Amino acid sequence: MKIVAICGAGVGTSGILKVNAERVLERLGIQADVTASDIASIATSAATAQVILTSPELVEHIGKTFADIVVIQNYFDLEELEQKLDKALG
C-alpha cells in the first residue's frame, strides 16, 4: 500500500504528516509505504498511491486521481489522522 503526503513544497508539512501517518499506521497495525511530496509532483508521486493526505487548500490542485484523498485539518492531531486513515483504509 502506498500513501503520499503532500504540501506546497514537499519538505516541511508533508514531512510532518508523513511521520505522523507512520505513527498512526503502526498503531493500527497497517503496513504502508508513506512518502512526502510537493503539489507540483503529485501526478508522478501519487500515480500508484491508494491514499493522498493533504490540507484543505491543496485539494483543488491535486487533479484526477484514483487515490482516496484524505483531508487533514491539523497535521499534529494524531487522533484526527487515525480516525481518517482508519476510515479510508478500513
Side-chain angles (χ1 to χ4, degrees), residues 15-68:
I16 293 166
L17 188 54
K18 174 190 178 297
V19 169
N20 285 337
E22 289 171 338
R23 290 179 180 157
V24 166
L25 291 168
E26 187 175 322
R27 275 194 212 172
L28 295 172
I30 298 172
Q31 290 192 343
D33 177 29
V34 185
T35 60
S37 178
D38 64 289
I39 192 69
S41 304
I42 191 66
T44 304
S45 61
T48 58
Q50 285 75 42
V51 174
I52 297 171
L53 299 173
T54 191
S55 59
E57 62 271 10
L58 293 178
V59 170
E60 66 185 63
H61 302 288
I62 291 174
K64 196 171 191 171
T65 180
F66 293 106
D68 288 333

